Amino acid sequence: MAFHLTRDRMAILAAVVAPIAVSAALIPFRTDISSANLALILVVVVVAVAAIGHLFAGAVAALGAALWFDFFLTRPYETFAITKSSDVGTAILLLAVGLVVSQLAARARRLHVLAITDADYLAQIHHTAQVARSSTSPDAVVDQVRDQLVGLLHLNGCRFEYGNLLGRPPRLEPDGRVVKSRMEWDVDRLGLPEEEVELRASAKGHYYGRFMLRPTPGSVPSLEARLVAVTLADQAGAALDTAQSAPSSG
């Protein structure tokens, strides 16, 4: 059975391997380069990992960078002990900076994905926004989004449930990931789960309902398509929020 490395799996592998490999490669220079500069080199590694992966990969790389910086590049060498208080501060700062820049890099990756979305995706978002502005009924926006999701994600069907959210079906998250039984589902390799997938419609922290997506077996919607689907669901949530917030007549 062939093993397929997705981009995110490659990022996790890089997050584990790159910090130790780079730290080990810096051993010959650890007496000639200051600890602060060695830490900056490892920050670059964390940024690179986060840029090709996601936040979790960046966090793993940041933790690994701090640990292997301690082990290989601070005295006493080849132990997880640090005798100089300045090196302790550098290691802590390396971890903190690594976590921050990994979050920024992961966010930049998502924004880049949205930036390269093709014209058809942008047209769908624009069209739904026009419907939301021109329609007095949020149901019209919900219906519009439901129809768009079927084509966008190549679904067998889609329905919308108003109100309270029951059960724990697989969920399409705001970052385009799919989570099933609290574990990330590898959409790029397996496609969407066979059962219905939940896509929540929310606005301002309030849930107004959810789209229940009925996948087509074998269909593998791209990350770009999933992110656009989330954007469309948010537009439906905003329309429902506006309708609820509007003062009643009479």
Side-chain angles (χ1 to χ4, degrees), residues 27-123:
I27 289 175
F29 311 102
R30 62 191 177 188
T31 58
D32 301 319
I33 302 176
S34 68
S35 294
N37 287 335
L38 292 171
L40 285 175
I41 294 172
L42 291 173
V43 168
V44 173
V45 175
V46 175
V47 173
V49 170
I52 65 171
H54 43 55
L55 178 57
F56 179 71
V60 171
L63 179 59
L67 287 174
W68 297 119
F69 169 79
D70 175 5
F71 188 82
F72 286 117
L73 305 176
T74 64
R75 297 179 185 273
Y77 299 128
E78 281 77 54
T79 71
F80 287 110
I82 302 178
T83 55
K84 293 176 61 178
S85 59
S86 59
D87 286 341
V88 173
T90 301
I92 294 173
L93 188 60
L94 170 59
L95 176 59
V97 171
L99 291 173
V100 171
V101 298
S102 68
Q103 183 174 16
L104 293 175
R107 183 178 299 176
R109 177 193 168 193
R110 179 182 174 186
L111 292 175
H112 176 66
V113 168
L114 288 175
I116 63 173
T117 297
D118 66 30
D120 180 61
Y121 290 164
L122 293 175

